Amino acid sequence: MPSAIGKKALLLGAGFVCEPAVQALSEAGVEVTVACRTLSAAQALTANYKSTTAMALDVVNEPENLCAAISQTDIVISLIPYVHHALVVSAAIKYSKPVVTTSYISPALWALDDQAKAAGITVLNEIGLDPGIDHLYAVKTIDEVHKAGGKVKAFTSYCGALPAPENSDNPLGYKFSWSPRGGFLALLNSAQWYRDNDVTTVDGKNLMAAASPQRIFPGFNLVGYPNRDSVGFRDFYNIPEAHTVFRGTLRYAGFPEIIRALVAIGYFSQERMAVLERLGTTWVQLTISLLGLSESLSPKEVENAVRQKIEAFVTDKDDVDRVLSGLRWIGLFDPTPVGGYGTPLDTLCAVLETRMAYQLGERDMIVLQHIFDIEHAGGSVEKRSSTLVEYGEPVGPRARSAMAKLVGLPCAVGVLAVLEGRIPATGMVAPWSSAEIARLLRDELKDKFGIELKERVIT
């Protein structure tokens, strides 16, 4: 079996999840070239590691340079936004170069499956955190149950990237390491899952209304809401017997109600507004405009109008007061200028990117849990859990967040497995493609980096 030592890897992107992957690959003897539109970002990433090189490359606008770089490497790692993966894979197919991504296999990638197989290349996807580590342990338990003649009757999974409890010190209990716009837009996605063998759907505008308390551990005050489309996972995980298949996102309690209030007022609108074109428009004026109120109203009267909006979906008075206090903290009733952004969503994101940023010395946390309802061959039933809680390093020079570690390190493990020929499958591949692929990635992640889910039977 070939060794990865001396092999060349082209890593596209220089985001915050990239450094753990670069470090792990460098230490394994792989020569890594980091390519980014901004050369200085790539240089900052490679400065501390041996056998690494930085280069400037605009994947979208420089196709000839992309092809030239791919032709000179042994493997491509695409950690740029998922919408560009198909472009990268198409170029890699021309040169018969394998690819690794941490993103879901999109329809655009599935469309390249036959071409990738014809080129004899592995395109390993979904090997980050979620998707990634979650697959490794879902497949583990499901395979064990099936081999023993049992059935997985229900599968429920939650994952959340959160500030550590001591740093969850704002009304939403959430913080950003990146621009919040994409994260906020995801809160408007519809979701569907299997419940009692029927497909249950919730529209994006009602997503936060579907949130419910989740007792991952008694010390965590968490809630969870549905995460996009869980229906396909009944097939991916080969559990046709499962009457419930659900995947959700975790946040601290209180988050959904504030988001629902912002949506109800209109702050998630992506439409340009005349009031935002005016120089000096204040937050309270924007709130008034979104609600269609008279501009003569005082801030207190505007608050009362918003309170009525909140009372439509929050019944407890203390909870209403808490949501209103959160909106006040954001600044929705302030007489200060909004800053000249064209849409309500952009205006909201601009202020929260500052107010909800991680500060020096703060750390993040990842919580992931699977719950399996199992029916054994003899008819007995059992409930099992697989749980991971990982804390990042306090923010500072070269600190690694939990998110960076749990995306970047699985990615590196996947790259090494492909380079060393340990994943012979070609075309679009994911950790759920086979129990054997999941096992080798899971074992290496545990043995090399100590990353594993704790499994137990729930009494």
Side-chain angles (χ1 to χ4, degrees):
M1 193 166 289
S3 168
I5 297 175
K7 291 291 183 71
K8 297 179 180 180
L10 173 66
L11 191 155
L12 304 175
F16 74 102
V17 302
C18 296
E19 185 163 2
V22 171
Q23 181 177 1
L25 292 173
S26 171
E27 291 174 353
V30 177
E31 297 176 12
V32 183
T33 296
V34 177
C36 179
R37 285 183 303 177
T38 307
L39 179 60
S40 59
Q43 290 171 330
L45 194 51
T46 59
N48 300 302
Y49 304 107
K50 65 180 182 180
S51 302
T52 58
T53 306
M55 69 176 290
L57 176 62
D58 187 331
V59 168
V60 177
N61 297 311
E62 299 175 358
E64 291 182 358
N65 292 343
L66 173 64
C67 287
I70 288 176
S71 71
Q72 299 300 311
T73 194
D74 295 306
I75 194 167
V76 184
I77 310 162
S78 188
L79 294 180
I80 55 179
Y82 79 94
V83 294
H84 304 310
H85 289 337
L87 178 68
V88 173
V89 172
S90 294
I93 287 171
K94 294 178 184 178
Y95 299 95
S96 298
K97 304 294 186 178
V99 182
V100 174
T101 87
T102 59
S103 306
Y104 289 107
I105 304 177
S106 66
L109 285 184
W110 278 123
L112 297 171
D113 187 42
D114 289 341
Q115 294 179 46
K117 287 176 178 175
I121 64 168
T122 302
V123 182
L124 176 61
N125 304 274
E126 305 189 21
I127 185 57
L129 165 64
D130 176 13
I133 296 173
D134 55 336
H135 293 329
L136 303 181
Y137 282 84
V139 170
K140 178 180 186 294
T141 296
I142 290 166
D143 187 53
E144 290 171 353
V145 170
H146 284 173
K147 283 182 175 177
K151 298 178 179 179
V152 176
K153 303 298 288 183
F155 171 79
T156 302
S157 177
Y158 282 99
C159 185
L162 302 157
E166 71 273 17
N167 300 132
S168 59
D169 53 356
N170 65 56
L172 286 93
Y174 194 72
K175 291 190 175 177
F176 296 99
S177 301
W178 58 90
S179 172
R181 195 175 195 277
F184 275 154
L185 286 175
L187 300 175
L188 300 177
N189 288 325
S190 60
Q192 60 177 358
W193 64 96
Y194 280 111
R195 182 171 61 191
D196 298 329
N197 276 326
D198 291 326
V199 175
T200 300
T201 302
V202 60
D203 189 77
K205 66 178 184 293
N206 298 318
L207 186 65
M208 292 298 101
S212 60
Q214 300 301 317
R215 285 181 60 84
I216 306 296
F217 287 111
F220 290 148
N221 188 14
L222 301 173
V223 297
Y225 54 86
N227 181 11
R228 303 198 186 191
D229 188 356
S230 300
V231 169
F233 286 88
R234 188 154 78 170
D235 292 331
F236 298 154
Y237 288 162
N238 190 28
I239 45 175
E241 72 272 22
H243 56 73
T244 295
V245 178
F246 178 93
R247 300 171 79 250
T249 299
L250 293 171
R251 293 289 181 263
Y252 286 113
F255 178 91
E257 291 81 5
I258 294 180
I259 296 299
R260 289 184 74 183
L262 290 168
V263 171
I265 296 168
Y267 270 96
F268 272 59
S269 170
Q270 299 176 68
E271 299 294 324
R272 298 190 71 87
M273 295 181 64
V275 69
L276 287 171
E277 306 292 340
R278 295 197 323 239
L279 190 65
T281 292
T282 65
W283 280 96
V284 69
Q285 287 173 334
L286 176 56
T287 302
I288 285 171
S289 182
L290 288 169
L291 293 172
L293 302 174
S294 168
E295 291 196 11
S296 64
L297 292 183
S298 68
K300 188 62 179 177
E301 289 172 319
V302 178
E303 281 196 27
N304 288 335
V306 170
R307 177 183 289 275
Q308 291 178 20
K309 286 275 188 183
I310 300 169
E311 288 172 344
F313 55 85
V314 179
T315 55
D316 184 86
K317 182 182 180 301
D318 288 342
D319 288 340
V320 172
D321 290 342
R322 182 183 52 75
V323 174
L324 199 59
S325 175
L327 300 179
R328 203 178 292 124
W329 175 83
I330 294 171
L332 267 54
F333 314 112
D334 289 353
T336 53
V338 296
Y341 299 93
T343 73
L345 180 62
D346 290 333
T347 302
L348 178 67
C349 289
V351 69
L352 293 186
E353 186 170 4
T354 299
R355 295 195 182 188
M356 294 172 64
Y358 281 95
Q359 302 299 313
L360 198 65
E362 296 184 340
R363 59 180 183 159
D364 71 329
M365 174 182 75
I366 301 294
V367 181
L368 168 64
Q369 185 175 74
H370 298 324
I371 300 291
F372 306 86
D373 288 356
I374 298 164
E375 181 182 294
H376 293 292
S380 61
V381 296
E382 178 183 83
K383 191 182 289 284
R384 293 187 200 170
S385 67
S386 300
T387 309
L388 170 71
V389 178
E390 181 84 13
Y391 293 91
E393 299 166 1
V395 172
R398 300 196 60 199
R400 298 192 304 177
S401 67
M403 175 65 85
K405 287 189 291 184
L406 296 185
V407 175
L409 294 179
C411 177
V413 164
V415 170
L416 293 172
V418 174
L419 281 176
E420 294 167 357
R422 290 182 287 131
I423 300 181
T426 58
M428 299 304 138
V429 180
W432 46 261
S433 296
S434 75
E436 179 60 24
I437 290 175
R439 182 198 60 75
L440 75 89
L441 295 172
R442 181 178 61 247
D443 289 352
E444 188 159 340
L445 196 59
K446 176 183 175 181
D447 294 343
K448 282 192 172 183
F449 302 110
I451 296 172
E452 63 176 321
L453 271 64
K454 303 298 183 183
E455 300 169 295
R456 71 184 183 96
V457 174
I458 302 174
T459 56

